[in-house]
Amino acid sequence: MTTEPLFREDAYLREATATVIAAGPDGIVLDRTPFFATGGGQPGDTGRLTLADGTAIAVTEAVKGEGGAILHRVAPGAALPAIGETVTAAIDWDRRHRLMRMHTALHLLCALIPGAAVTGGAIGDGKGRLDFDLPEAPAKEALTAGLAALIAADHPVTTEWISEAALDANPGLVRTLSVKPPRGAGRVRLVRIGAGDPPVDLQPCGGTHVRSTGEIGRIAIAKVENKGRQNRRIALVLEG
């Protein structure tokens, strides 16, 4: 069972019709979905599946299953659709958009700290953090000004694909030590920020992002913390 991940090509797709190919205690599997499945530090989408008769089933989380399936988890005891039934899958767009804004902002944070490996991270609704392998904590004021400038410049955010061999030849593209790009399909998805050469940021990522940095909006650095001899944690929050 494989689910076509519609969000991968269009992160702004809010809903889509789909066919149920499995349904059970672990979740509902569709042949296609706009729901992002938890991965790479980004939480899975929430939302609803609406049946032809108007019945709505709340989706509490989307997660990865076996063989490329995406499981749409529902509350215990919730009614399940029949296999072969057509449903409308709709994500909680406001929540997703906040996650997209934060995810893109964390890419900008990476760009402001070049060369430092990312040892951990998390993306939440309206907040996020990255941990960097650094001997000294960067100045909060400089990071705040840098983020504001990159957001104001409204750089385009695009995706492209390269072969796994090309990634192996350019290991510097991988910034994260805790999350490795998925392999086995023969190609890897890159997220590029900025149209120049070199770009503002370019690294493998399977998450969802806004179309341009200006869409991130106001953001603040909540904390810059020491989490070990070489570990510096930087936390961001969306404002407004």
Side-chain angles (χ1 to χ4, degrees):
M1 292 183 295
T2 300
T3 304
E4 181 184 356
L6 300 175
F7 56 84
R8 189 167 291 163
E9 298 301 328
D10 184 3
Y12 287 79
L13 184 65
R14 303 187 187 196
E15 66 177 52
T17 57
T19 302
V20 177
I21 57 178
D26 291 336
I28 299 166
V29 182
L30 307 176
D31 65 337
R32 60 203 297 265
T33 187
F35 280 73
F36 176 82
T38 301
Q42 180 175 331
D45 284 324
T46 59
R48 68 186 183 279
L49 305 180
T50 303
L51 310 186
D53 64 3
T55 301
I57 303 171
V59 176
T60 58
E61 183 184 21
V63 299
K64 296 176 182 176
E66 296 182 358
I70 291 177
L71 296 169
H72 301 73
R73 288 187 169 162
V74 299
L80 298 176
I83 295 174
E85 190 165 359
T86 298
V87 301
T88 299
I91 63 173
D92 179 348
W93 169 248
D94 289 341
R95 175 179 179 271
R96 158 73 86 75
H97 192 241
R98 290 191 294 270
L99 293 170
M100 289 165 58
R101 290 164 60 200
M102 178 53 65
H103 199 155
T104 311
L106 292 175
H107 278 257
L108 296 184
L109 183 60
C110 273
L112 293 173
I113 309 177
V118 177
T119 58
I123 303 164
D125 188 352
K127 61 184 180 181
R129 65 167 176 84
L130 288 177
D131 296 347
F132 292 91
D133 182 13
L134 285 171
E136 301 290 340
K140 182 177 179 179
E141 295 77 12
L143 291 177
T144 299
L147 282 174
L150 290 173
I151 291 169
D154 201 22
H155 294 287
V157 182
T158 58
T159 60
E160 58 197 72
W161 294 86
I162 63 170
S163 67
E164 291 181 3
L167 181 64
D168 291 338
N170 295 274
L173 289 174
V174 180
R175 295 289 303 275
T176 55
L177 299 180
S178 58
V179 180
K180 298 297 184 182
R183 288 179 172 271
R187 63 176 189 163
V188 177
R189 180 176 182 257
L190 300 180
V191 172
R192 178 186 293 269
I193 300 180
D197 187 15
V200 174
D201 187 64
L202 179 66
Q203 59 179 295
C205 186
T208 59
H209 308 80
V210 293
R211 293 190 179 108
S212 66
T213 60
E215 197 174 328
I216 294 170
R218 293 189 302 159
I219 199 159
I221 296 178
K223 291 181 182 179
V224 178
E225 300 178 283
N226 293 326
K227 288 294 182 178
R229 188 170 62 87
Q230 288 277 124
N231 199 37
R232 312 297 168 226
R233 175 168 295 176
I234 302 171
L236 307 182
V237 293
L238 296 178
E239 293 188 326

